[in-house]
Amino acid sequence: MALMATLFVLVFVTELISWVGQNVLLEFFFALYLRIFYSSIATRQRTLKSEILLNKKELLQTSAQDQFAKWAKLRRSVDKGLADLEKLNGELASVRTSFSLKFKSALWIMTTGLQFVIGWWYRKTAVFYLPPGWFGPLTWLLAFPFAPAGSVSCGVWQMACRRVIKVGERVAKELLVHREGSGGPAPTEQQGKEPSGKKRE
């Protein structure tokens, strides 16, 4: 029973990640990672962006002919801010690339990779045994490739779990679509009646 439940949970988590999307999870955990380990750089980036926007706005409102000294000072400030921001963006892009590689590798290892390892390690173990005679000559297929005859192998159980979860996902989506479609405004009493002044031919 423990093997059966473990395989089901692994398949379910794998499908759940597929539903949510790796990129969505990556964005969420990367933002959390930045907040914990690179909070100073992220804060500096936000501050720089705000300063650059303010200086650009003031620069546009300053005349280069009438207020050249102020305009030149703002121009230098904007250029320096853009250079610093580009440097920070480069650092964060490098951090993101490294984090993305590690995160996707960890996801694969904890889901698909772990399924492969457990399937290989328990390749000769029965997940559970079938009642005799239920599937006749097809029983050997359920034990494929190395499980004892009359049992269900890890590989077959994983495929069955994946199929059931996908069917459940499709049914849930159809129910949600049907519920949203039937939630439209009901026709009013006046819309349902014919205009009283209309004559019948």
Side-chain angles (χ1 to χ4, degrees):
M1 289 298 293
L3 179 59
M4 182 192 303
T6 301
L7 290 172
F8 178 82
V9 169
L10 282 175
V11 173
F12 178 78
V13 170
T14 304
E15 293 301 318
L16 183 63
I17 291 171
S18 176
W19 297 342
V20 175
Q22 268 195 9
N23 290 333
V24 175
L25 292 174
L26 176 61
E27 291 295 334
F28 174 79
F29 283 103
F30 181 66
L32 190 63
Y33 179 75
L34 280 183
R35 184 173 297 180
I36 295 173
F37 298 102
Y38 293 90
S39 59
S40 60
I41 296 180
T43 302
R44 178 62 179 156
Q45 184 192 43
R46 290 193 298 270
T47 304
L48 267 177
K49 285 181 179 180
S50 300
E51 290 176 356
I52 290 170
L53 287 175
L54 288 173
N55 287 334
K56 277 186 174 181
K57 183 179 179 181
E58 191 174 354
L59 182 65
L60 291 173
Q61 296 172 350
T62 304
S63 172
Q65 295 178 350
D66 300 336
Q67 299 172 293
F68 179 76
K70 182 180 180 182
W71 182 90
K73 183 179 179 182
L74 287 171
R75 181 73 263 179
R76 288 194 299 270
S77 179
V78 169
D79 291 341
K80 183 179 183 302
L82 288 173
D84 292 342
L85 182 61
E86 186 177 354
K87 183 179 178 181
L88 279 179
N89 287 340
E91 291 180 18
L92 290 177
S94 176
V95 170
R96 180 186 174 84
T97 301
S98 175
F99 179 83
S100 176
L101 179 62
K102 293 174 183 177
F103 181 77
K104 290 181 178 180
S105 299
L107 275 186
W108 189 89
I109 290 171
M110 290 188 297
T111 55
T112 307
L114 198 54
Q115 288 182 53
F116 283 137
V117 170
I118 291 177
W120 178 83
W121 187 263
Y122 291 98
R123 64 190 183 279
K124 296 183 180 180
T125 303
V127 177
F128 61 90
Y129 283 89
L130 297 166
W134 267 32
F135 294 95
L138 297 178
T139 303
W140 69 273
L141 282 174
L142 301 177
F144 185 83
F146 303 115
S151 68
V152 174
S153 67
C154 290
V156 172
W157 176 243
Q158 287 176 8
M159 288 189 293
C161 291
R162 189 172 293 108
R163 180 62 180 169
V164 169
I165 292 170
K166 285 185 177 295
V167 170
E169 175 194 7
R170 187 164 60 249
V171 170
K173 285 181 178 178
E174 289 176 357
L175 287 175
L176 287 174
V177 170
H178 178 72
R179 187 173 182 179
E180 290 175 0
S182 62
T188 61
E189 186 178 352
Q190 291 181 353
Q191 289 175 339
K193 292 181 180 180
E194 277 190 15
S196 57
K198 188 177 179 180
K199 293 183 180 179
R200 295 183 181 178
E201 295 181 358

